[in-house]
Amino acid sequence: MFVLVEMVDTVRIPPWCFHRQLNEAVAEELNKKLANKVVFNVGLCICLYDITKLEDSYIFPGDGASHTKVHFRFVVFHPFLEEILVGKIKYCSQEGVHVTMGFFDDILIPPESLQQPAKFDEAEQVWLWEYETDEGAHDLYMDQGEEIRFRVTDEVFVDTSPTGPAAATPDNAAQPGQSTAAPAEESTEKKEAPYTLIGTICEPGLGLLSWWNN
Amino acid sequence: MEVKNANAAMLSNYEVFKLLTDLKEQRKDAGKSKHSLGQQDLNTIMYETLKYLSKTPCSRQSPEIVREFLTTMMPQKLTKAVSKKSNLNIALISFQMVEESEERLTEEQIEELIQTVAGVLPGDPEQENAAAADAEMNGGAEQS
């Protein structure tokens, strides 16, 4: 589930932190910068593991702060493909079952990867598994808050770095008086999750834990 | 910022759990700084991850159990380090289905799981996970 990622970065220590030990100040800055953030094509950064190398610190003209190049290792959440994880069902929608792990939310199990045959109950907004036995069909509901075991089949990284003003729509550019409307419209657009996991439960042993506990 | 190696090493849940609990102790002693604006992300991720991991078997492990598990897995022909770690995590998950009484019992379960996994397939992590999932289901069925 977790991997160690080696990274290099230049850390800026402001002058009012000069009284602190360099190691501690650098560790705090790195955690402040990366904890709970997704790095493109790497994963969700959790916390600093250790600092491998601290190079010389420099002070540049115009800025009183010191700049230090740091080699460090960070604990990153990056499950490998085909890994089996346990999470909780956040909610169900037409797109599938949304699962959360507490610290990581964007996990989706699309309808085709549910235990077949599956049906979406519009009234209760919940997916269910129509399980056939000799006694008849049982409807196994995938309720909110239930623990679910799934296998990771795919991961999607989206680069959510801010785009420049060139990305603004052409008709807004033609009306300079209306330009303040453009940022408001963009902020109501749906925010894409930078890191999404696609899972499946279409195998024996996967799905709600309660289905397989005797 | 530059990423030198996106996959330098794999960490077991237990290692991350230990790291986070140690970090929490350290920050508890530090006092003031943890409430400053910039530290909120770290606090959030630490709290959530600890909450998740404390509900998994790794919270009940110790370095000795991990070392023993890895040494018993060594003779098995597992080609990828990945499969060892994943089997560790899965073996630990399978303990949830077993009524734990003493440490001796869980070691026996480790042996049983290893035999099942080794007996079924070569070092393909995908199939090993499926075999482990089947083994844990069978283990669960036998126990109840």
Side-chain angles (χ1 to χ4, degrees), chain A residues 1-9 28 31-37 39 41-42 44-49 71 75 80 82-86 88 101-103 147 149 151 204-205 212-214, chain B residues 1-13 16 19-20 23 33 38-39 41-42 44-45 48-49 52-53 55 82 86 89-90 93 96-97 126 129-130 133-134 136-137 140-141 144:
Chain A
M1 215 189 292
F2 299 100
V3 291
L4 217 51
V5 178
E6 281 169 18
M7 299 195 242
V8 184
D9 197 12
E28 189 180 309
N31 275 323
K32 207 188 287 187
K33 177 172 178 183
L34 290 173
N36 204 18
K37 304 261 181 3
V39 176
N41 282 342
V42 170
L44 173 71
C45 297
I46 309 284
C47 72
L48 180 71
Y49 185 74
H71 298 243
V75 177
F80 54 89
E82 313 298 332
E83 182 171 357
I84 297 182
L85 300 173
V86 176
K88 278 209 171 99
M101 290 176 76
F103 59 93
E147 297 217 322
R149 182 174 292 134
R151 182 195 289 276
W212 304 101
N213 282 336
N214 290 340
Chain B
M1 190 180 82
E2 193 196 326
V3 175
K4 277 255 123 87
N5 190 349
N7 219 326
M10 297 206 65
L11 293 171
S12 68
N13 288 4
V16 178
L19 180 73
L20 288 174
L23 188 61
S33 68
Q39 300 293 323
D41 277 326
L42 180 62
T44 311
I45 192 79
E48 294 285 354
T49 313
Y52 178 82
L53 288 176
K55 288 197 224 137
V82 154
S86 68
N89 283 349
I90 285 173
I93 292 171
Q96 283 180 319
M97 307 182 76
E126 174 183 335
N129 284 351
D134 290 337
E136 79 193 20
M137 275 166 58
S144 57

Coordinates of all heavy atoms in Angstrom, one line a residue, chain A residues 1-9 28 31-37 39 41-42 44-49 71 75 80 82-86 88 101-103 147 149 151 204-205 212-214, chain B residues 1-13 16 19-20 23 33 38-39 41-42 44-45 48-49 52-53 55 82 86 89-90 93 96-97 126 129-130 133-134 136-137 140-141 144:
Chain A
M1 N 0.8 -1.2 0.0 CA 0.0 0.0 0.0 C 0.8 1.3 0.0 O 0.5 2.2 -0.7 CB -0.9 0.0 1.3 CG -2.2 0.6 1.1 SD -3.1 0.8 2.6 CE -3.4 -0.9 3.1
F2 N 1.9 1.2 0.8 CA 2.8 2.4 0.9 C 4.1 2.1 0.3 O 4.7 1.1 0.4 CB 3.0 2.8 2.4 CG 1.7 3.1 3.1 CD1 1.1 2.2 3.9 CD2 1.1 4.4 2.9 CE1 -0.1 2.5 4.5 CE2 -0.1 4.7 3.5 CZ -0.7 3.8 4.3
V3 N 4.7 3.2 -0.4 CA 6.0 3.0 -0.9 C 6.9 4.2 -0.4 O 6.4 5.2 0.0 CB 6.0 3.1 -2.5 CG1 5.4 1.8 -3.0 CG2 5.4 4.3 -3.0
L4 N 8.2 4.0 -0.6 CA 9.1 5.0 -0.2 C 9.6 5.7 -1.5 O 10.0 5.0 -2.4 CB 10.3 4.3 0.5 CG 11.0 5.1 1.7 CD1 10.0 5.5 2.7 CD2 12.0 4.2 2.3
V5 N 9.5 7.0 -1.5 CA 9.9 7.7 -2.8 C 11.1 8.6 -2.4 O 11.0 9.4 -1.5 CB 8.7 8.6 -3.3 CG1 9.1 9.3 -4.5 CG2 7.6 7.7 -3.6
E6 N 12.1 8.5 -3.2 CA 13.3 9.4 -3.0 C 13.1 10.7 -3.8 O 12.8 10.6 -5.0 CB 14.6 8.7 -3.5 CG 15.1 7.7 -2.5 CD 16.2 6.8 -3.1 OE1 16.8 7.2 -4.2 OE2 16.4 5.7 -2.6
M7 N 13.2 11.8 -3.2 CA 13.0 13.1 -3.8 C 14.1 14.0 -3.5 O 14.8 13.9 -2.5 CB 11.7 13.7 -3.5 CG 10.5 12.8 -3.8 SD 9.0 13.7 -3.7 CE 8.2 12.9 -2.5
V8 N 14.3 15.1 -4.3 CA 15.2 16.1 -4.1 C 14.5 17.5 -4.2 O 13.7 17.6 -5.2 CB 16.4 16.1 -5.1 CG1 17.4 17.2 -4.7 CG2 17.0 14.8 -5.1
D9 N 14.7 18.4 -3.3 CA 14.1 19.7 -3.4 C 14.9 20.7 -2.7 O 15.7 20.4 -1.8 CB 12.7 19.6 -2.7 CG 11.8 20.7 -3.2 OD1 12.2 21.5 -4.1 OD2 10.7 20.9 -2.6
E28 N 10.1 20.0 9.0 CA 8.8 20.6 9.1 C 8.4 21.3 7.8 O 7.2 21.1 7.4 CB 8.9 21.7 10.2 CG 7.5 22.3 10.5 CD 7.6 23.3 11.6 OE1 8.2 23.0 12.7 OE2 7.0 24.4 11.4
N31 N 7.3 18.5 5.4 CA 5.9 18.0 5.7 C 4.9 19.0 5.4 O 3.8 18.6 4.8 CB 5.9 17.6 7.2 CG 6.4 16.2 7.5 OD1 6.2 15.3 6.7 ND2 7.1 16.0 8.6
K32 N 5.2 20.2 5.6 CA 4.2 21.3 5.3 C 3.9 21.3 3.8 O 2.8 21.5 3.4 CB 4.8 22.6 5.8 CG 3.7 23.7 6.1 CD 4.3 25.0 6.3 CE 5.1 25.1 7.6 NZ 5.5 26.5 7.9
K33 N 4.9 21.1 3.0 CA 4.8 21.2 1.6 C 4.1 20.0 1.0 O 3.2 20.1 0.1 CB 6.1 21.4 0.9 CG 6.1 21.4 -0.6 CD 7.4 21.8 -1.2 CE 7.3 21.8 -2.7 NZ 8.6 22.0 -3.3
L34 N 4.4 18.8 1.5 CA 3.9 17.6 0.8 C 2.9 16.7 1.5 O 2.2 16.0 0.8 CB 5.2 16.7 0.5 CG 6.1 17.2 -0.6 CD1 7.4 16.3 -0.6 CD2 5.5 17.2 -1.9
A35 N 2.7 16.8 2.8 CA 1.8 15.9 3.5 C 0.4 16.1 2.9 O 0.0 17.3 2.7 CB 1.8 16.2 5.0
N36 N -0.3 15.0 2.7 CA -1.7 15.0 2.2 C -1.8 15.7 0.9 O -2.9 16.1 0.5 CB -2.6 15.8 3.3 CG -4.0 15.4 3.2 OD1 -4.3 14.4 2.6 ND2 -4.9 16.2 3.7
K37 N -0.8 15.7 0.1 CA -0.8 16.2 -1.3 C -0.5 15.1 -2.3 O 0.3 14.2 -2.0 CB 0.2 17.4 -1.5 CG 0.0 18.5 -0.5 CD -0.7 19.7 -1.1 CE -1.0 20.9 -0.3 NZ -0.4 21.0 1.0
V39 N 1.3 13.9 -5.6 CA 2.3 14.3 -6.6 C 2.0 13.5 -7.9 O 1.8 12.3 -7.8 CB 3.8 13.9 -6.1 CG1 4.8 14.2 -7.1 CG2 4.0 14.7 -4.8
N41 N 1.8 11.3 -10.9 CA 2.4 10.0 -11.2 C 3.2 9.4 -10.1 O 4.1 8.5 -10.4 CB 3.4 10.2 -12.5 CG 2.5 10.2 -13.7 OD1 1.4 9.8 -13.8 ND2 3.1 10.7 -14.8
V42 N 3.0 9.9 -8.9 CA 3.8 9.3 -7.8 C 2.8 8.7 -6.7 O 2.9 7.5 -6.4 CB 4.7 10.3 -7.1 CG1 5.3 9.8 -5.8 CG2 5.8 10.6 -8.1
L44 N -0.2 9.7 -3.2 CA -0.6 10.6 -2.1 C 0.5 10.6 -1.1 O 0.8 9.5 -0.5 CB -1.9 10.1 -1.5 CG -2.3 10.9 -0.3 CD1 -2.8 12.3 -0.6 CD2 -3.5 10.2 0.4
C45 N 1.2 11.7 -0.9 CA 2.3 11.8 0.1 C 1.7 11.8 1.5 O 0.8 12.5 1.8 CB 3.1 13.1 -0.1 SG 3.9 13.1 -1.7
I46 N 2.3 11.0 2.4 CA 1.8 10.9 3.8 C 2.7 11.7 4.7 O 2.3 12.7 5.2 CB 1.8 9.4 4.2 CG1 1.0 8.5 3.2 CG2 1.2 9.3 5.6 CD1 -0.4 8.7 3.3
C47 N 3.9 11.2 4.9 CA 4.8 12.0 5.8 C 6.3 11.7 5.4 O 6.6 10.8 4.7 CB 4.5 11.7 7.2 SG 5.1 10.1 7.7
L48 N 7.2 12.5 6.0 CA 8.6 12.4 5.7 C 9.1 11.1 6.4 O 8.8 10.9 7.6 CB 9.3 13.6 6.2 CG 10.8 13.6 6.0 CD1 11.2 13.8 4.5 CD2 11.4 14.8 6.8
Y49 N 9.9 10.3 5.7 CA 10.5 9.1 6.3 C 11.8 9.5 6.9 O 12.1 9.2 8.1 CB 10.7 8.0 5.2 CG 11.1 6.7 5.7 CD1 10.3 5.9 6.5 CD2 12.5 6.3 5.5 CE1 10.8 4.7 7.0 CE2 12.9 5.1 6.0 CZ 12.1 4.3 6.7 OH 12.5 3.1 7.2
H71 N 18.0 16.0 0.0 CA 17.7 14.7 -0.6 C 16.9 14.0 0.5 O 17.5 13.9 1.6 CB 18.9 13.9 -0.9 CG 19.8 14.5 -2.0 ND1 20.0 14.0 -3.2 CD2 20.4 15.7 -2.0 CE1 20.8 14.7 -3.9 NE2 21.1 15.8 -3.2
V75 N 7.1 8.9 2.6 CA 6.2 7.8 2.6 C 5.0 8.2 1.7 O 4.4 9.2 1.9 CB 5.7 7.5 4.0 CG1 4.6 6.3 3.9 CG2 6.8 7.1 4.9
F80 N -0.1 -1.0 -5.5 CA 0.3 -1.5 -6.8 C -0.9 -2.1 -7.4 O -1.9 -2.4 -6.8 CB 1.5 -2.5 -6.7 CG 1.2 -3.6 -5.7 CD1 0.6 -4.8 -6.1 CD2 1.6 -3.5 -4.4 CE1 0.4 -5.8 -5.2 CE2 1.4 -4.5 -3.5 CZ 0.8 -5.7 -3.9
E82 N -3.5 -4.6 -8.9 CA -3.9 -6.0 -8.4 C -3.8 -6.1 -6.9 O -4.0 -7.2 -6.4 CB -3.1 -7.1 -9.1 CG -3.0 -7.0 -10.6 CD -4.3 -7.1 -11.3 OE1 -5.3 -7.7 -10.8 OE2 -4.4 -6.4 -12.4
E83 N -3.4 -5.0 -6.2 CA -3.4 -5.2 -4.8 C -4.8 -5.2 -4.2 O -5.7 -4.5 -4.7 CB -2.6 -4.0 -4.2 CG -2.5 -4.1 -2.7 CD -1.6 -3.0 -2.1 OE1 -1.0 -2.2 -2.8 OE2 -1.4 -3.0 -0.8
I84 N -5.0 -5.9 -3.1 CA -6.3 -6.0 -2.5 C -6.4 -5.1 -1.3 O -5.5 -5.2 -0.4 CB -6.6 -7.5 -2.1 CG1 -6.7 -8.3 -3.3 CG2 -7.9 -7.5 -1.3 CD1 -7.0 -9.8 -3.1
L85 N -7.4 -4.2 -1.2 CA -7.5 -3.3 -0.1 C -8.8 -3.3 0.5 O -9.8 -3.8 -0.1 CB -7.2 -1.8 -0.7 CG -5.9 -1.5 -1.3 CD1 -5.9 -0.1 -2.0 CD2 -4.8 -1.6 -0.3
V86 N -8.9 -2.8 1.7 CA -10.2 -2.7 2.4 C -10.6 -1.3 2.6 O -9.8 -0.5 3.1 CB -10.2 -3.5 3.7 CG1 -11.5 -3.4 4.5 CG2 -9.8 -4.9 3.5
K88 N -14.3 1.7 3.0 CA -15.7 1.8 3.4 C -16.5 2.4 2.3 O -15.9 3.2 1.5 CB -15.8 2.7 4.6 CG -15.5 2.1 5.9 CD -16.3 2.8 7.0 CE -16.2 2.0 8.3 NZ -15.2 2.6 9.2
M101 N -11.1 5.3 2.1 CA -10.2 4.6 3.1 C -9.9 5.5 4.2 O -9.0 5.3 5.0 CB -8.9 4.2 2.4 CG -9.1 3.0 1.5 SD -7.7 2.5 0.6 CE -6.8 1.6 1.8
G102 N -10.7 6.6 4.4 CA -10.4 7.6 5.5 C -9.4 8.6 5.0 O -9.8 9.8 4.8
F103 N -8.2 8.2 4.7 CA -7.2 9.1 4.3 C -7.2 9.3 2.8 O -6.6 10.3 2.3 CB -5.8 8.7 4.8 CG -5.3 7.4 4.3 CD1 -4.6 7.3 3.2 CD2 -5.7 6.2 5.0 CE1 -4.2 6.0 2.7 CE2 -5.3 5.0 4.5 CZ -4.5 4.9 3.4
E147 N -18.0 -2.0 5.2 CA -16.6 -2.3 4.8 C -16.6 -3.2 3.6 O -17.3 -4.1 3.5 CB -15.8 -3.0 6.0 CG -15.7 -2.1 7.2 CD -14.4 -2.3 8.0 OE1 -14.0 -3.4 8.0 OE2 -13.9 -1.3 8.5
R149 N -14.0 -5.1 0.5 CA -12.7 -5.5 0.1 C -12.7 -5.5 -1.4 O -13.5 -6.1 -2.1 CB -12.4 -6.9 0.6 CG -11.0 -7.4 0.2 CD -10.6 -8.8 0.8 NE -10.5 -8.6 2.3 CZ -11.1 -9.5 3.1 NH1 -11.8 -10.5 2.7 NH2 -10.9 -9.3 4.4
R151 N -10.1 -5.1 -5.3 CA -8.8 -5.2 -5.9 C -8.6 -4.0 -6.8 O -9.5 -3.6 -7.5 CB -8.8 -6.5 -6.7 CG -7.4 -6.8 -7.4 CD -7.6 -7.8 -8.5 NE -7.8 -9.1 -7.9 CZ -6.8 -9.9 -7.5 NH1 -5.6 -9.6 -7.6 NH2 -7.1 -11.1 -7.0
P204 N -14.3 -14.1 -6.3 CA -14.6 -14.7 -5.0 C -13.7 -14.1 -3.9 O -12.5 -14.0 -4.0 CB -14.3 -16.2 -5.2 CG -13.5 -16.3 -6.5 CD -13.8 -15.1 -7.3
G205 N -14.4 -13.8 -2.8 CA -13.7 -13.2 -1.6 C -13.7 -11.7 -1.6 O -13.4 -11.1 -0.6
W212 N -18.8 -12.5 3.2 CA -17.9 -13.6 3.2 C -17.6 -14.1 4.6 O -17.0 -15.2 4.8 CB -16.6 -13.3 2.5 CG -16.8 -12.9 1.1 CD1 -16.8 -11.7 0.6 CD2 -17.1 -13.8 0.0 NE1 -17.0 -11.7 -0.8 CE2 -17.3 -12.9 -1.2 CE3 -17.3 -15.1 -0.2 CZ2 -17.6 -13.4 -2.4 CZ3 -17.6 -15.6 -1.4 CH2 -17.8 -14.8 -2.5
N213 N -18.0 -13.4 5.7 CA -17.9 -13.8 7.0 C -19.0 -14.8 7.4 O -20.1 -14.5 7.1 CB -17.9 -12.6 8.0 CG -16.7 -11.8 8.0 OD1 -15.6 -12.4 7.7 ND2 -16.7 -10.6 8.4
N214 N -18.6 -15.9 8.1 CA -19.7 -16.8 8.4 C -20.4 -16.5 9.7 O -19.7 -15.9 10.6 CB -19.1 -18.2 8.5 CG -18.8 -18.7 7.1 OD1 -19.3 -18.2 6.1 ND2 -17.9 -19.7 7.0
Chain B
M1 N 11.1 20.8 -7.6 CA 11.2 19.5 -6.9 C 11.4 18.4 -7.9 O 10.8 18.4 -9.0 CB 9.9 19.2 -6.1 CG 10.0 18.0 -5.2 SD 8.5 17.7 -4.3 CE 7.7 16.8 -5.5
E2 N 12.2 17.4 -7.5 CA 12.5 16.3 -8.5 C 12.3 15.0 -7.8 O 12.7 14.8 -6.6 CB 14.0 16.5 -8.9 CG 14.4 15.6 -10.1 CD 15.9 15.5 -10.2 OE1 16.6 16.5 -9.8 OE2 16.4 14.4 -10.6
V3 N 11.7 14.1 -8.5 CA 11.5 12.8 -8.0 C 12.6 11.9 -8.5 O 12.7 11.6 -9.7 CB 10.1 12.2 -8.4 CG1 10.0 10.7 -7.9 CG2 9.0 13.0 -7.8
K4 N 13.5 11.4 -7.6 CA 14.7 10.6 -8.0 C 14.2 9.2 -8.3 O 14.7 8.6 -9.3 CB 15.7 10.6 -6.9 CG 16.6 11.8 -6.9 CD 18.0 11.5 -7.5 CE 18.3 12.4 -8.6 NZ 18.9 13.7 -8.3
N5 N 13.4 8.7 -7.4 CA 13.0 7.3 -7.5 C 11.6 7.1 -7.0 O 11.4 7.1 -5.8 CB 14.0 6.4 -6.8 CG 13.8 4.9 -7.1 OD1 12.8 4.5 -7.6 ND2 14.8 4.1 -6.6
A6 N 10.6 6.9 -7.9 CA 9.2 6.8 -7.4 C 8.9 5.5 -6.7 O 7.9 5.3 -6.2 CB 8.3 7.0 -8.6
N7 N 9.9 4.6 -6.7 CA 9.6 3.2 -6.1 C 10.8 2.7 -5.5 O 11.3 1.6 -5.8 CB 9.1 2.3 -7.2 CG 8.0 1.4 -6.7 OD1 8.0 1.0 -5.5 ND2 7.1 1.1 -7.6
A8 N 11.4 3.5 -4.5 CA 12.7 3.1 -3.9 C 12.5 1.9 -3.1 O 13.4 1.0 -3.1 CB 13.2 4.3 -3.1
A9 N 11.4 1.8 -2.3 CA 11.2 0.6 -1.5 C 9.8 0.5 -1.1 O 9.0 1.5 -1.2 CB 12.0 0.8 -0.2
M10 N 9.3 -0.7 -0.8 CA 8.0 -0.9 -0.4 C 8.0 -0.9 1.1 O 8.9 -1.3 1.8 CB 7.4 -2.2 -0.9 CG 7.4 -2.2 -2.4 SD 6.1 -3.3 -3.0 CE 4.6 -2.5 -2.4
L11 N 6.9 -0.4 1.7 CA 6.8 -0.4 3.2 C 5.6 -1.2 3.6 O 4.5 -1.1 2.9 CB 6.5 1.1 3.7 CG 7.7 2.0 3.5 CD1 7.2 3.4 3.8 CD2 8.8 1.7 4.4
S12 N 5.7 -2.0 4.6 CA 4.6 -2.8 5.1 C 3.7 -1.8 5.9 O 4.2 -0.8 6.4 CB 5.0 -4.0 5.9 OG 5.6 -3.5 7.1
N13 N 2.5 -2.2 6.1 CA 1.6 -1.4 6.9 C 2.1 -1.2 8.3 O 2.0 -0.1 8.9 CB 0.2 -2.0 7.0 CG -0.6 -2.0 5.7 OD1 0.0 -1.5 4.7 ND2 -1.8 -2.5 5.7
V16 N 4.7 1.7 8.4 CA 4.1 3.0 8.4 C 3.4 3.3 9.7 O 3.5 4.5 10.2 CB 3.1 3.1 7.2 CG1 2.4 4.4 7.1 CG2 3.8 2.8 5.9
L19 N 6.0 4.3 12.2 CA 6.5 5.6 11.9 C 5.6 6.7 12.3 O 6.0 7.7 13.0 CB 6.8 5.7 10.4 CG 7.3 7.0 9.9 CD1 8.8 7.2 10.3 CD2 7.2 7.2 8.4
L20 N 4.3 6.5 12.0 CA 3.3 7.6 12.4 C 3.1 7.7 13.9 O 2.9 8.8 14.4 CB 2.0 7.3 11.7 CG 2.0 7.5 10.2 CD1 0.7 7.1 9.5 CD2 2.2 9.0 9.9
L23 N 6.0 9.5 15.2 CA 6.0 10.9 14.8 C 4.9 11.7 15.7 O 5.1 12.8 16.1 CB 5.6 11.0 13.3 CG 5.6 12.4 12.7 CD1 7.0 13.0 12.8 CD2 5.1 12.4 11.3
S33 N 3.9 24.1 17.8 CA 4.0 24.2 16.4 C 2.9 23.4 15.6 O 2.6 23.7 14.5 CB 5.4 23.7 15.9 OG 5.5 22.3 16.2
G38 N 0.2 25.8 8.7 CA 0.8 24.9 7.7 C 0.7 23.5 8.1 O 0.8 22.6 7.3
Q39 N 0.6 23.2 9.4 CA 0.7 21.8 9.9 C -0.6 21.1 9.8 O -0.7 19.9 10.1 CB 1.2 21.8 11.3 CG 2.5 22.4 11.5 CD 3.6 21.6 10.8 OE1 3.6 20.4 10.8 NE2 4.6 22.2 10.2
D41 N -2.5 20.0 7.3 CA -2.5 18.9 6.3 C -1.8 17.7 7.0 O -2.3 16.5 6.9 CB -1.7 19.2 5.1 CG -2.6 20.0 4.1 OD1 -3.8 19.7 4.1 OD2 -2.1 20.8 3.4
L42 N -0.7 17.9 7.6 CA 0.1 16.8 8.2 C -0.8 16.1 9.3 O -0.9 14.9 9.4 CB 1.4 17.2 8.8 CG 2.3 16.2 9.4 CD1 2.6 15.1 8.4 CD2 3.5 16.8 10.1
T44 N -4.0 16.2 9.6 CA -5.2 15.4 9.0 C -4.7 14.1 8.5 O -5.3 13.1 8.8 CB -5.7 16.2 7.8 OG1 -6.0 17.6 8.2 CG2 -7.0 15.6 7.3
I45 N -3.7 14.0 7.7 CA -3.3 12.8 7.0 C -2.8 11.8 8.1 O -3.1 10.6 8.0 CB -2.2 13.0 5.9 CG1 -2.1 11.8 5.1 CG2 -0.9 13.5 6.4 CD1 -3.1 11.5 4.1
E48 N -6.0 10.4 10.0 CA -6.8 9.5 9.2 C -6.0 8.2 8.9 O -6.6 7.1 9.0 CB -7.1 10.1 7.8 CG -8.0 11.3 7.9 CD -9.5 10.9 8.2 OE1 -9.8 9.7 8.2 OE2 -10.3 11.9 8.5
T49 N -4.7 8.3 8.6 CA -4.0 7.1 8.3 C -3.8 6.2 9.5 O -4.0 5.0 9.5 CB -2.6 7.4 7.7 OG1 -2.7 8.4 6.7 CG2 -1.9 6.2 7.1
Y52 N -7.1 4.4 10.1 CA -7.2 3.3 9.2 C -6.4 2.1 9.6 O -6.8 1.0 9.7 CB -6.9 3.7 7.8 CG -7.0 2.6 6.8 CD1 -8.3 2.2 6.3 CD2 -5.9 1.9 6.4 CE1 -8.4 1.2 5.4 CE2 -6.0 0.9 5.5 CZ -7.2 0.5 5.0 OH -7.3 -0.5 4.1
L53 N -5.1 2.4 9.9 CA -4.1 1.3 10.2 C -4.4 0.7 11.5 O -4.1 -0.5 11.7 CB -2.7 1.9 10.1 CG -2.2 2.2 8.7 CD1 -0.8 2.8 8.8 CD2 -2.2 0.9 7.9
K55 N -7.1 -0.1 12.7 CA -8.1 -1.1 12.6 C -7.7 -2.4 11.8 O -8.4 -3.3 11.7 CB -9.3 -0.5 11.8 CG -10.1 0.4 12.7 CD -11.5 0.7 12.1 CE -11.8 2.2 12.1 NZ -12.4 2.7 10.9
V82 N 7.4 -7.5 -4.1 CA 6.0 -7.1 -4.0 C 5.1 -8.3 -3.4 O 4.3 -8.0 -2.5 CB 5.5 -6.8 -5.4 CG1 4.0 -6.9 -5.5 CG2 5.9 -5.3 -5.7
S86 N 2.8 -8.1 -0.1 CA 1.4 -8.2 -0.3 C 0.9 -9.4 0.5 O -0.2 -9.4 1.1 CB 1.0 -8.4 -1.7 OG 1.5 -9.6 -2.2
N89 N 0.7 -8.4 4.1 CA -0.5 -7.7 4.4 C -1.8 -8.6 4.4 O -2.7 -8.4 5.2 CB -0.7 -6.5 3.4 CG 0.2 -5.4 3.7 OD1 0.8 -5.3 4.8 ND2 0.3 -4.5 2.8
I90 N -1.8 -9.5 3.4 CA -3.0 -10.4 3.3 C -3.0 -11.4 4.4 O -4.1 -11.7 4.9 CB -3.0 -11.0 1.9 CG1 -3.4 -10.0 0.9 CG2 -4.0 -12.2 1.9 CD1 -3.3 -10.5 -0.5
I93 N -4.5 -9.7 7.1 CA -5.9 -9.5 7.0 C -6.6 -10.8 7.4 O -7.7 -10.8 8.0 CB -6.2 -9.1 5.5 CG1 -5.7 -7.7 5.3 CG2 -7.7 -9.1 5.3 CD1 -5.8 -7.3 3.8
Q96 N -7.9 -11.5 10.8 CA -9.1 -10.9 11.3 C -10.2 -11.9 11.3 O -11.1 -11.8 12.1 CB -9.5 -9.8 10.4 CG -8.7 -8.5 10.7 CD -9.2 -7.4 9.8 OE1 -9.5 -7.6 8.6 NE2 -9.3 -6.2 10.3
M97 N -10.1 -12.9 10.4 CA -11.2 -13.9 10.4 C -11.0 -15.0 11.4 O -11.8 -15.9 11.6 CB -11.3 -14.5 9.0 CG -11.4 -13.4 7.9 SD -11.6 -14.0 6.3 CE -13.3 -14.5 6.3
E126 N -0.6 -11.6 -8.8 CA -2.0 -11.6 -9.0 C -2.7 -12.8 -8.5 O -3.6 -12.8 -7.8 CB -2.3 -11.3 -10.5 CG -3.7 -11.4 -10.8 CD -3.9 -11.2 -12.3 OE1 -3.0 -10.6 -13.0 OE2 -4.9 -11.7 -12.8
N129 N -2.5 -13.4 -4.7 CA -3.5 -12.7 -4.0 C -4.8 -13.4 -4.0 O -5.5 -13.5 -3.0 CB -3.7 -11.3 -4.5 CG -2.6 -10.4 -4.1 OD1 -1.7 -10.8 -3.3 ND2 -2.5 -9.2 -4.7
A130 N -5.2 -14.0 -5.2 CA -6.4 -14.7 -5.3 C -6.4 -16.0 -4.4 O -7.3 -16.3 -3.7 CB -6.7 -15.1 -6.7
A133 N -6.7 -15.0 -0.9 CA -8.1 -14.7 -0.6 C -9.0 -15.9 -0.5 O -9.8 -16.0 0.5 CB -8.7 -13.8 -1.7
D134 N -8.7 -16.9 -1.3 CA -9.4 -18.2 -1.2 C -9.0 -18.9 0.1 O -9.9 -19.4 0.8 CB -9.1 -19.1 -2.4 CG -9.7 -18.6 -3.7 OD1 -10.7 -17.9 -3.6 OD2 -9.2 -19.0 -4.7
E136 N -8.0 -17.6 2.8 CA -8.5 -16.9 4.0 C -10.0 -17.2 4.1 O -10.5 -17.3 5.2 CB -8.3 -15.4 4.0 CG -9.2 -14.6 3.1 CD -8.7 -13.2 2.9 OE1 -7.5 -13.0 3.1 OE2 -9.5 -12.4 2.6
M137 N -10.7 -17.4 3.0 CA -12.1 -17.8 3.1 C -12.2 -19.2 3.7 O -13.1 -19.4 4.5 CB -12.7 -17.8 1.7 CG -13.2 -16.5 1.2 SD -13.5 -16.5 -0.6 CE -14.7 -17.9 -0.6
G140 N -11.5 -19.0 7.2 CA -12.6 -18.5 8.0 C -13.7 -19.5 8.2 O -14.3 -19.7 9.2
A141 N -14.0 -20.3 7.1 CA -15.0 -21.3 7.1 C -14.7 -22.4 8.2 O -15.5 -22.9 8.9 CB -15.2 -21.9 5.8
S144 N -15.1 -21.1 12.0 CA -16.4 -20.8 12.6 C -17.2 -22.0 13.0 O -16.9 -23.1 12.5 CB -17.3 -20.0 11.6 OG -17.4 -20.7 10.4

